[in-house]
Amino acid sequence: LDYQHVQVPFEITLWIMLASLAKIGFHLYNKLPSVVPESCLLIFVGLIMGGIIYGLNDRSPPVMDSDIFFLYLLPPIVLDAGYFMPSRPFFENMGTILLYAVVGTVWNVFGIGFSLYGICQVQAFRLQDVSLLHNLLFGSLIAAVDPVAVLAVFEEIHVNEKLHILVFGESLLNDAVTVVLYKLFRSFCEMPTIKSVDVFAGVGKFFVVGLGGVLVGLSFGFTAAFTTRFTKDIRVIEPLFVFLYSYLSYLTAEMFHLSGIVAIIACAMGMKRYVEANISLKSHTTVKYFMKMWSSVSDTLIFIFLGVSTIGENHEWNWPYICFTVIFCLVWRALGVLVLTFFVNRFHVNTITSKDQFIIAYGGLRGAICFSLVFLLPDFHRKKLFIAATTVVILFTVFVQGMTIRPLVDLLAVKRKRESAPTVGEQIHIRFLDHLLAGIEDISGHWGQYYWKDKLEYFNSKYLQKILLREYDQPKSSIVLLYEKLERKHAIELAEAGQLGHGPPQPSLQFGFLCSNDSTVIADQKLEDTLSPDVLNNMKEILARNLYRIRRMGPAYSRHTLPGESEPTEHAQEILILRHKSL
Amino acid sequence: LDYQHVQVPFEITLWIMLASLAKIGFHLYNKLPSVVPESCLLIFVGLIMGGIIYGLNDRSPPVMDSDIFFLYLLPPIVLDAGYFMPSRPFFENMGTILLYAVVGTVWNVFGIGFSLYGICQVQAFRLQDVSLLHNLLFGSLIAAVDPVAVLAVFEEIHVNEKLHILVFGESLLNDAVTVVLYKLFRSFCEMPTIKSVDVFAGVGKFFVVGLGGVLVGLSFGFTAAFTTRFTKDIRVIEPLFVFLYSYLSYLTAEMFHLSGIVAIIACAMGMKRYVEANISLKSHTTVKYFMKMWSSVSDTLIFIFLGVSTIGENHEWNWPYICFTVIFCLVWRALGVLVLTFFVNRFHVNTITSKDQFIIAYGGLRGAICFSLVFLLPDFHRKKLFIAATTVVILFTVFVQGMTIRPLVDLLAVKRKRESAPTVGEQIHIRFLDHLLAGIEDISGHWGQYYWKDKLEYFNSKYLQKILLREYDQPKSSIVLLYEKLERKHAIELAEAGQLGHGPPQPSLQFGFLCSNDSTVIADQKLEDTLSPDVLNNMKEILARNLYRIRRMGPAYSRHTLPGESEPTEHAQEILILRHKSL
């Protein structure tokens, strides 16, 4: 037996396997995931694992290594988030998101930091040795909402798109603020005196970290798009470039102390459009599927590790400090959201309702980023207190808030996401309105979002597409593509209902290798992931019903009659008549 | 700048990026890959890289770490090979493959070892200090044909299926022999005296290593299949299990000193059938695509590293030893193939032609496995000579044999692979004959391969499928599935030619999310990888032509007329008449 030799990959594989099996286990009982969020269950599994390890070894189980978290586990999740970010709502609400992410986070950091400092002044709590700077440092790491935790919970509750993008966008973009403030306070803690210059440098640094991240991300994204122009002859490595370039953008940003999260999101959003056009549809399916898979596994591992790391002797328990941390986290976030939304609503027609505000405040979950940051703190005598407080805040937000948010959303009747994809008609109208609004803005001299969007689109089609796309000379309107897709689907339905009317196909003519059905692969992302034989059968039934309607509507179509005038009860009768005729 | 922090993932990503970009570079010039095999080009890139590193640092560039090779680079390639192994020709030629892999490899090891020992006895060469055991040890690592090199070259020359499987199967299965002999001679080298018991133990060990590998692989494969029974609700992590379980089988086998290559192949071949039936078609596409991508990258990295590692001061140059090694490798392999094939041909109706024998002998390429094994040798004073000889043999086989094998295949007019997939008719006939032959064997009492295949199939459908498949109660004949697929394709063609005749489809009915086209995804693997807009256009043309024929044949079909009796020159005329009528 030579375990030493294979230890590293073997243990990594086993951890991933455990994570995947845990996921399967939860889904075997359909009722469980609908009540308790998966993140809670995973932390619970982690706690049990940690308890077992602690019991067997009689020492603290290994805590999650911050390097492993930031270098290997976080990037897949953020890449997935950036790549599948719905760009329209994101850019439409960009201002609000940035306000929450920047001003809101700063507000929370200082609010939590100063009020905890106030608590430390109470003699009875015996916390006088925790300085203001240490409290602010703690505030900087505990204030930021965690994208992993938010994603895990909000993906399950299906709130409306705007609310989702507000919470989720904030959790992603606040990374730049967190990075700056955390590093600033950390270096302040080690400095003997703090000059006002340092404070101003910190403010300037925020722009460098955020915008630098965007720049790094976009440059890698465009390089990726440019590279995929030349992969025509080796389709098989196309998906690789999507992953490699986005990972490089993250690592490069981290290397220069910029915001890696912002970089990878900029990279993913920048490349998506061009890469999708360049690579084959099969490669694209692989990219999407693998991204989802990877982020799902990372996510699972993070929550399990969170649970495992909780067990052990890293904690210093101080009731007042920990309780007040939880309370201040909730209070300052609620206040921040209220105040900021008040200003946001004054400038928008489409205001954020008070229900939405409540969910935004309540959805401020903390997660593994805080946890990793608190372990990265330099050693000082109260570090274990901070670790304990962070752990409690994370467990409180994930378990209490995460488990109650779904009932609350039901109770408040928060607007949900619409289930169906927009129809062709809707899409055409949206596009028409965009052009119209851009024209109105141009005439009225108001440089609003439609004006800039139009300008960006012009720049894109004039320069970027020519450089980054492989076949720029043959652009096809997406409406035409959609029409072709629908017609192909229509044909398939007819074939499956056996109504082709051209006699049976000739299998011996060897169509098999002449046809390409690649283009039929893309469909609604969410639906495809859950397609199972039962669903398929269900669909076939629906199709069979619809097909009947089509057949009836097809030949009988007239400009003067409305479709669907006859009652569904007539169907059986009509079929009988048709049968009779054919006999 | 904080390079230390991100160094490991950054450098790994950069290496993979370099490999991928090199691949793109070669394919930009279409003529290059058709003359020189990609493996040669990659080694060349590696040599240049090594030269640059050597020139800049003035010390040997890092050699490929054997651990990295065996633990991370080799498994993806072997998994890919095992998963896409054409099982029918593999099992049909199993006996021959095993003969080549076991007897042939042993023959080569002892042949090369003893004859090199003979060379060492020549006083003029100053090699008397190389003992017989060391020569045998060297023989054991240099004798085995390398699957990575063979795959890289044979994938490009498209010889007939039988010839391909003979060379490739041998290169995979000889791993068990190599592992045993290499470890045996290595331990002999360190022993003071060798007892005859040890020799017999070695022979017994071969069966343990080989059959143990198969057992480990199959058990992991069946576990994987069993696991995918329960992934219905979380399709997104399905592909993961295929990779995790096969990797675990490899690592477990390595841990117990069994043959990891044999284990991973058994695992892949064992699970394939059941996993394919259990997981969604989209997951399966991802599995296939990612496997190909991964193995392609590993392959590229291996050849680049081979080139890089060649440069440096690890070599001791001794002309006679190195030249005779190359000669003996060629001669003993040729002799072995001749002798073994003589016996094989006596027992088979479908004999191996002398042309095929030549290609089998000539296709015995050496590669990275030898290279890693020679670096794993314990330090002794002639290790550098062995490294030099191994490097020369690898470069000779990959460059000289790899580059000349394609012209030779052309020159000898070796039977090529048939380009098209078998038709439905052929498939039905093959299956029919299988049943017939199994019946004949059963009646005549001859327990041949058809008999065992039939028994295995019975066992499979009676027990295995019930345990491992999710929906065993609804099995669909593959012929029925194929028919459905073809009918769907036929419908699509009609739609694309605008001949549906049911009026335009109603896009506003929102078919988009009702239809599933998953089942149209699977098509000929090779073709899909190379689908490009040009090919698509080409296909459309072909389809347009064929569609005309179908339309014409469809309604006019009669049992008494043969299709295609009218000449293609009539088409234009007939179209004119049809047009006329419709006006």
Side-chain angles (χ1 to χ4, degrees), chain B residues 122-135:
Chain B
V122 180
Q123 291 248 335
F125 297 157
R126 280 191 244 149
L127 285 161
Q128 283 98 326
D129 55 332
V130 187
S131 69
L132 175 63
L133 260 183
H134 275 122
N135 271 318

Side-chain angles (χ1 to χ4, degrees), chain A residues 5 67 283 289 423 493 510 515, chain B residues 67 283 289 423 493 510 515:
Chain A
H5 179 55
D67 262 3
S283 299
Y289 215 91
T423 60
E493 289 143 24
Q510 294 194 2
C515 303
Chain B
D67 262 4
S283 297
Y289 215 91
T423 61
E493 288 143 25
Q510 296 195 3
C515 302

Side-chain angles (χ1 to χ4, degrees), chain A residues 55-334:
Chain A
L56 291 179
N57 289 347
D58 210 22
R59 61 195 168 91
S60 305
V63 294
M64 175 158 59
D65 189 334
S66 300
D67 262 3
I68 291 180
F69 174 72
F70 281 114
L71 291 183
Y72 305 108
L73 294 178
L74 189 57
I77 298 177
V78 183
L79 174 63
D80 176 62
Y83 198 84
F84 293 105
M85 178 87 81
S87 59
R88 200 185 162 85
F90 180 73
F91 285 112
E92 269 176 4
N93 297 297
M94 190 66 158
T96 317
I97 292 171
L98 276 179
L99 197 70
Y100 284 143
V102 180
V103 183
T105 308
V106 172
W107 162 287
N108 275 307
V109 169
F110 285 97
I112 295 171
F114 279 112
S115 37
L116 278 178
Y117 182 61
I119 295 300
C120 290
Q121 300 314 306
V122 179
Q123 291 246 337
F125 297 156
R126 281 190 244 150
L127 286 162
Q128 282 99 326
D129 54 330
V130 186
S131 70
L132 175 63
L133 261 181
H134 275 122
N135 272 317
L136 284 172
L137 178 57
F138 180 63
S140 76
L141 66 88
I142 203 77
V145 176
D146 187 81
V148 183
V150 165
L151 203 62
V153 166
F154 273 72
E155 263 193 349
E156 292 178 7
I157 58 174
H158 306 293
V159 292
N160 64 73
E161 215 170 23
K162 187 178 172 186
L163 181 52
H164 183 260
I165 204 74
L166 284 180
V167 183
F168 182 48
E170 179 204 338
S171 72
L172 285 172
L173 296 190
N174 65 19
D175 180 60
V177 182
T178 311
V179 168
V180 172
L181 286 181
Y182 178 77
K183 287 190 178 154
L184 198 71
F185 289 129
R186 236 182 90 166
S187 56
F188 282 179
C189 282
E190 282 154 9
M191 276 187 213
T193 55
I194 299 154
K195 289 171 200 158
S196 56
V197 182
D198 296 323
V199 178
F200 284 108
V203 175
K205 221 172 172 181
F206 164 70
F207 289 98
V208 175
V209 167
L211 295 179
V214 172
L215 272 185
V216 167
L218 283 183
S219 53
F220 273 99
F222 288 141
T223 319
F226 186 71
T227 309
T228 50
R229 270 189 72 168
F230 305 103
T231 50
K232 203 176 154 185
D233 296 317
I234 22 168
R235 293 288 192 191
V236 86
I237 58 170
E238 279 176 345
L240 205 63
F241 287 108
V242 175
F243 297 110
L244 286 181
Y245 277 109
S246 26
Y247 192 43
L248 273 185
S249 77
Y250 181 84
L251 292 177
T252 311
E254 287 284 306
M255 196 159 70
F256 291 107
H257 296 292
L258 306 174
S259 167
I261 292 185
V262 171
I264 205 168
I265 286 174
C267 178
M269 294 184 83
M271 79 164 109
K272 188 184 181 190
R273 179 173 187 165
Y274 307 105
V275 165
E276 263 182 36
N278 278 338
I279 69 178
S280 78
L281 285 161
K282 192 141 272 203
S283 299
H284 193 223
T285 308
T286 306
V287 167
K288 288 195 294 183
Y289 215 91
F290 223 78
M291 226 175 243
K292 283 266 166 246
M293 191 182 93
W294 220 323
S295 75
S296 156
V297 169
S298 278
D299 185 272
T300 313
L301 281 177
I302 287 173
F303 285 114
I304 288 187
F305 278 139
L306 258 184
V308 171
S309 310
T310 303
I311 306 288
E313 285 147 3
N314 300 313
H315 307 291
E316 181 196 333
W317 205 259
N318 180 306
W319 276 104
Y321 195 84
I322 289 171
C323 290
F324 276 108
T325 307
V326 174
I327 292 168
F328 287 143
C329 279
L330 289 172
V331 170
W332 283 104
R333 180 160 176 88

Side-chain angles (χ1 to χ4, degrees), chain A residues 1-3 5-6 9-10 13 16-17 20-21 23-24 27-28 30 67 71-72 227 230-237 239-241 244-245 247-248 251-252 254-257 280 282-283 285-286 289-290 292-293 296-297 420-421 423-424 471 483 486-496 499-500 502 504-507 509-518 520-521 527-529 531-534 536 539 542 546 549-550 553-554, chain B residues 1-3 5-6 8-10 13-14 16-17 20-21 23-24 27-28 30 67 71-72 227 230-237 239-241 244-245 247-248 251-252 254-257 280 282-283 285-286 289-290 292-293 296-297 423 471 483 486-496 499-500 502 504-507 509-518 520-521 527-529 531-534 536 539 542 546 549-550 553-554:
Chain A
L1 190 79
D2 185 8
Y3 184 58
H5 179 55
V6 297
F10 197 75
T13 316
I16 299 176
M17 185 71 98
S20 319
L21 290 179
K23 266 197 127 126
I24 290 190
H27 284 271
L28 280 185
N30 278 322
D67 262 3
L71 291 183
Y72 305 108
T227 309
F230 305 103
T231 50
K232 203 176 154 185
D233 296 317
I234 22 168
R235 293 288 192 191
V236 86
I237 58 170
L240 205 63
F241 287 108
L244 286 181
Y245 277 109
Y247 192 43
L248 273 185
L251 292 177
T252 311
E254 287 284 306
M255 196 159 70
F256 291 107
H257 296 292
S280 78
K282 192 141 272 203
S283 299
T285 308
T286 306
Y289 215 91
F290 223 78
K292 283 266 166 246
M293 191 182 93
S296 156
V297 169
S420 58
T423 60
V424 181
E471 285 123 8
Y483 178 81
L486 286 174
E487 198 172 43
R488 229 172 288 125
K489 278 178 183 160
H490 181 206
I492 290 169
E493 289 143 24
L494 286 179
E496 278 176 354
Q499 297 192 10
L500 263 186
H502 280 265
Q506 330 280 320
L509 282 176
Q510 294 194 2
F511 281 125
F513 64 100
L514 288 177
C515 303
S516 82
N517 296 308
D518 270 25
T520 56
V521 176
L527 215 102
E528 286 173 329
D529 291 344
L531 273 186
S532 64
D534 289 354
L536 277 176
M539 282 177 178
I542 297 170
N546 280 342
R549 205 159 70 215
I550 292 161
M553 279 162 61
Chain B
L1 190 78
D2 184 8
Y3 183 59
H5 179 56
V6 298
V8 178
F10 198 74
T13 317
L14 278 187
I16 299 177
M17 185 72 99
S20 319
L21 290 178
K23 268 198 127 128
I24 290 191
H27 284 272
L28 280 185
N30 278 323
D67 262 4
L71 291 183
Y72 305 108
T227 310
F230 304 102
T231 51
K232 203 175 154 186
D233 295 316
I234 22 168
R235 293 290 192 190
V236 87
I237 58 169
L240 205 63
F241 287 108
L244 286 181
Y245 277 109
Y247 192 43
L248 273 185
L251 292 177
T252 310
E254 287 285 306
M255 196 160 71
F256 292 106
H257 297 289
S280 79
K282 191 140 273 204
S283 297
T285 308
T286 305
Y289 215 91
F290 222 79
K292 283 267 167 245
M293 191 182 94
S296 155
V297 169
T423 61
E471 285 122 8
Y483 178 81
L486 287 173
E487 198 173 45
R488 229 173 287 126
K489 278 177 183 163
H490 180 208
I492 290 169
E493 288 143 25
L494 285 179
E496 277 175 356
Q499 297 193 10
L500 262 185
H502 279 266
Q506 329 281 320
L509 281 175
Q510 296 195 3
F511 279 126
F513 63 100
L514 289 176
C515 302
S516 82
N517 296 307
D518 270 25
T520 56
V521 176
L527 216 102
E528 286 173 327
D529 291 343
L531 273 187
S532 64
D534 289 354
L536 276 176
M539 281 177 176
I542 297 171
N546 279 341
R549 206 158 69 215
I550 290 161
M553 278 163 61

